Amino acid sequence: MISIELIRKNPDYVKENLSKRDQILSYKIDDILQLDEERRQKIKNLEELRAVRNAKSKEIGLFKKQGQDTSLLEEEIRNLKDQISELEDVVARIERYMNDLILRIPNLIHESVPFGVNEHDNIEIKRYRDIPKFDFEIKDHSDLCVSRGFIDFDKASEISGGRFSILRGPLAKLERALTNFMLDINMKNGYEEISPPHLVKDIALIGTGQLPKFKEELYFIQEDGLYLIPTAEVPLVNVYRDSILKEDELPIYLTAYTPCYRREAGSHGKDIKGLIRQHQFDKVELVKITHPDSSYDELEKLLNNAEEILQLLELPYRVMVLCSGDIGFSASKTYDIEVWIPSQDKYREISSCSNCEDFQARRANIRFKDETGKNRFVHTLNGSSLAVGRTLVAIVENYQTKDGKIRIPKVLKEYIKEEYI
RNA sequence: GGAGAGAUGGCUGAGUGGUCGAAAGCUGGUGACUCGAAAUCACUUGUGGGUUUAUAGCUCACCGGGGGUUCGAAUCCCCCUCUCUCCGCCA
């Protein structure tokens, strides 16, 4: 969440910044300011009363020791009690309301983020490798894989419904190879491999920003009050929740492979065919916990780490800076990596690398002790090493041959012995 | 799922109604000693909020979470969560 001190001290700056995302947010800032004012006033009253009560109670203790009568003092305090508990209720109510409001305010945007309304205003900053030319009629990954018996969408929808898939034989193996390949590269780049829980409590999702605002995107297990993770970012960032790190522990690099579960509410009709948009997909994730001073350098490095995977797989891609209107709720700045999908004749998102600055750190209460001994919030970053399912799509389509086979990228040779599948 | 034990500051661990924000030890910090270091000694070392120009002072809250009893709760009562041990079940 945004710092309330910052809202209080510089409301105009906050409003101006948030209005780059959405004009309506500035009204909410006004609401928060008003509540904050009220809250502080009430707290002041409350604490004065409590101070009086505490002093008198202390006196009673002393008097009783001396065997003196204290009934008068006790009566005085009894009169305070109702006022105190009434004020306590008021303060608690204001704080709950204020908290709920502020948890729904998105992060402030970094100054280098371009202004824009939607995804069309994102800016391309880099392109890697020429798009492939085919001297035959290409197939999309879905047709190709179904015809080869590598994917069974029909059976999957019978078992689980739409947007699920069954990968078979060589394609299932290719998926596993990709996961291992990404994890191995990430470990080479200094990331610690984590195997996290896939079911988490609401506090974890509040910590990373999916809750309270995006509940409808999440699968929820009613009986146990647990959510299926929409990304490994959630458990990874929460590994350090409620902790005070030593400055020399930073930066921390984590990587994890997990399935990701998303309801895709509001995506009706989008990417109906194929593996592009599924309710369940595998992803290898990168998370960094860093010092605030170095988080933007770390973001560049994180992006490079994700790009390296595509470069090694020899897949054409481009890098986009997301504009202010398209950037995610928790992020201050985001790069998307888009891979070339021949059948769609366009680039599609395959990784998203973000610096959340201290937005998640505040929510998850992740701090470090700086050299002066002061506790400060860390910065958190996350990025897809790559979304495995979409990488699979990109490989199938970009590496397809005239006779409907798929060439295995060179770097995967140590995971898959065949030349083609 | 059944039976029992427990949850206290960065860590270990005292504390069963009043001067306890909390003993003691460890860790960390500062200083003394030393050429320097170790050892030793002295002092010091929690978090968040309110007020404030202030990292000063004053003040409030916090001893797993929530509620209650009381003038007063780490301490008593109720509920919940989590951890540990044993039994059962189970990949």
Side-chain angles (χ1 to χ4, degrees), chain A residues 305-317:
Chain A
N305 294 150
E307 282 183 65
E308 183 183 352
I309 305 288
L310 284 168
Q311 290 169 5
L312 288 169
L313 290 170
E314 301 181 86
L315 288 167
Y317 68 86

Side-chain angles (χ1 to χ4, degrees), chain A residues 163 263-272 277:
Chain A
R163 294 201 192 281
R263 296 188 60 232
E264 295 297 336
S267 312
H268 305 297
K270 260 193 216 166
D271 301 310
I272 287 301
R277 191 177 301 272

Side-chain angles (χ1 to χ4, degrees), chain A residues 338-352:
Chain A
E338 299 181 341
V339 71
W340 179 251
I341 302 295
S343 68
Q344 300 189 1
D345 202 35
K346 61 183 175 195
Y347 290 96
R348 294 297 308 261
E349 179 187 342
I350 194 168
S351 171
S352 193

Side-chain angles (χ1 to χ4, degrees), chain A residues 389-400:
Chain A
R390 290 189 182 181
T391 310
L392 212 51
V393 170
I395 289 173
V396 168
E397 296 208 1
N398 284 282
Y399 281 83
Q400 63 180 295

Side-chain angles (χ1 to χ4, degrees), chain A residues 83-134:
Chain A
Q83 291 180 59
I84 288 176
S85 68
E86 196 181 316
L87 265 175
E88 279 171 344
D89 289 349
V90 171
V91 169
R93 202 165 56 236
I94 295 172
E95 284 183 340
R96 256 200 315 275
Y97 189 43
M98 200 172 129
N99 202 248
D100 191 59
L101 269 182
I102 203 164
L103 284 175
R104 288 168 191 274
I105 303 288
N107 200 359
L108 296 172
I109 282 167
H110 189 254
E111 56 187 10
S112 65
V113 170
F115 177 80
V117 179
N118 55 35
E119 71 268 23
H120 302 298
D121 299 323
N122 296 339
I123 292 173
E124 181 178 320
I125 55 164
K126 181 177 183 179
R127 214 172 257 239
Y128 176 86
R129 218 180 155 85
D130 295 332
I131 57 174
K133 291 191 180 69
F134 298 91

